[in-house]
Amino acid sequence: MSSNVTPNEPVITSYAKAPARTVTAGGVTYAYRELGPQGGIPVVFFVHLAATLDNWDPRIIDPVAKGRHVITFDNRGVGASTGQVPDSVEAMADDAYAFISALGFDTIDVFSFSLGGFIAQALVVKHPELVRKLVLTGTGPKGGKDIEKVARVTYWDILRATLTRSDPKEFLFFNRNPTGKAAARAFVNRLGERTVDRDAKIKTKAFQTQLKAIKKWGRSTPDDLSKVTHPTLIANGDNDRMVPSVLSGDLHRRIKGSELIIYPDSGHGGIFQYHEEFAPVAVEFLGR
């Protein structure tokens, strides 16, 4: 199971206080955090482009962790995880499988966002028996329209953020209107609630390799998602500039029986802008 867990620890349900842990698999040491009551099927969170353990919104994590064992992790070569970032989403999914297997789990629920949603799809296509339920947010299918343009949008918004001394996520995740700007500031502030034992930031080369993998994913032949029979919840904002919102509808059509939520007046980070509405929906879905 976990490599350095102390028995009889008190249950922690605040992501700001979640202990940092490591586990080694295939010569790679993965950094992860876990919280919530252990036992049963864990919810494993798959994070977005350029993100480390510090990039999960506690207003999404904490409600899930009140009743479920939650695990977040750094992809290979990102943050405190060792090794080099793979240049394909499928290889990232292989890493995720190795990490989950190293923790000793044979069944998980998946909560994914953006690039994490690509990885989650690749994982469930290759290892359908591993996943019980699937949450796909701010993401799209392999070969989806305009996914290969993510790099262009990302670099442009990084420039805009630099010129205004802002966090790039304020531009990438939220609309640039009064509602979006307020939501963006609140989100960035929440990411700073953890004040100790914070993660290492992603390195430039690792970030560029992730963008290369995303471009390859966007230009690849689509997977047959009709084979995905897992209960699936899909959510996004109605103005996602990174992974176009229409791709959430595309996923909904391809995955039979899936549920779709599109939040108004919001972008890529719609679930973070609407965390008060979305978190209870996610908790209910994962708890069925």
Side-chain angles (χ1 to χ4, degrees):
M1 209 45 184
S2 306
S3 61
N4 48 2
V5 178
T6 303
N8 303 317
E9 288 182 347
V11 175
I12 294 171
T13 57
S14 167
Y15 193 54
K17 299 177 181 178
R21 308 198 189 283
T22 60
V23 67
T24 299
V28 177
T29 298
Y30 293 93
Y32 70 102
R33 294 175 188 163
E34 62 182 339
L35 65 162
Q38 298 202 18
I41 297 171
V43 184
V44 182
F45 280 67
F46 289 57
V47 80
H48 63 84
L49 167 70
T52 69
L53 294 169
D54 290 328
N55 288 105
W56 279 114
D57 188 343
R59 298 303 181 276
I60 298 291
I61 295 272
D62 293 1
V64 177
K66 284 181 181 178
R68 296 290 299 276
H69 182 189
V70 166
I71 297 169
T72 64
F73 70 104
D74 277 334
N75 293 307
R76 172 159 56 106
V78 177
S81 289
T82 64
Q84 293 187 335
V85 173
D87 65 358
S88 77
V89 168
E90 289 78 8
M92 295 176 189
D94 289 341
D95 290 339
Y97 183 77
F99 165 72
I100 293 159
S101 298
L103 292 182
F105 298 112
D106 55 19
T107 307
I108 63 168
D109 286 345
V110 170
F111 187 112
S112 63
F113 175 61
S114 196
L115 169 61
F118 303 162
I119 299 170
Q121 291 173 63
L123 178 69
V124 80
V125 165
K126 194 167 186 178
H127 301 283
E129 75 292 341
L130 177 66
V131 178
R132 185 187 68 141
K133 291 190 174 183
L134 193 57
V135 180
L136 300 170
T137 67
T139 195
K142 186 177 182 179
K145 186 179 184 320
D146 291 339
I147 287 178
E148 77 277 4
K149 296 179 181 178
V150 166
R152 188 187 314 166
V153 174
T154 300
Y155 283 127
W156 171 241
D157 279 357
I158 288 174
L159 174 61
R160 295 165 74 197
T162 301
L163 293 174
T164 57
R165 297 183 179 179
S166 306
D167 188 309
K169 290 185 286 296
E170 294 187 39
F171 289 82
L172 289 163
F173 288 9
F174 300 91
N175 290 341
R176 300 304 293 165
N177 58 20
T179 302
K181 288 179 180 180
R185 287 191 296 271
F187 171 71
V188 171
N189 288 339
R190 294 196 298 270
L191 297 186
E193 288 179 357
R194 185 185 181 96
T195 57
V196 297
D197 198 18
R198 289 182 65 85
D199 203 357
K201 293 185 181 300
I202 191 169
K203 293 180 172 61
T204 300
K205 183 179 180 182
F207 170 62
Q208 291 171 337
T209 305
Q210 284 189 334
L211 284 172
K212 181 179 178 182
I214 290 172
K215 184 176 289 188
K216 190 183 297 184
W217 173 265
R219 291 177 174 174
S220 296
T221 303
D223 287 323
D224 180 6
L225 296 182
S226 68
K227 295 178 180 178
V228 178
T229 57
H230 311 66
T232 302
L233 174 64
I234 301 165
N236 205 347
D238 66 351
N239 185 39
D240 189 339
R241 295 172 55 253
M242 293 195 72
V243 185
S245 302
V246 294
L247 296 180
S248 292
D250 191 3
L251 278 175
H252 178 48
R253 287 187 295 274
R254 295 189 193 202
I255 301 176
K256 186 177 180 181
S258 61
E259 302 171 38
L260 174 65
I261 303 171
I262 299 293
Y263 289 106
D265 191 23
S266 59
H268 191 56
I271 65 165
F272 307 129
Q273 181 171 326
Y274 284 88
H275 63 85
E276 291 182 352
E277 292 83 358
F278 178 69
V281 171
V283 168
E284 189 277 330
F285 171 78
L286 290 167
R288 287 179 203 163

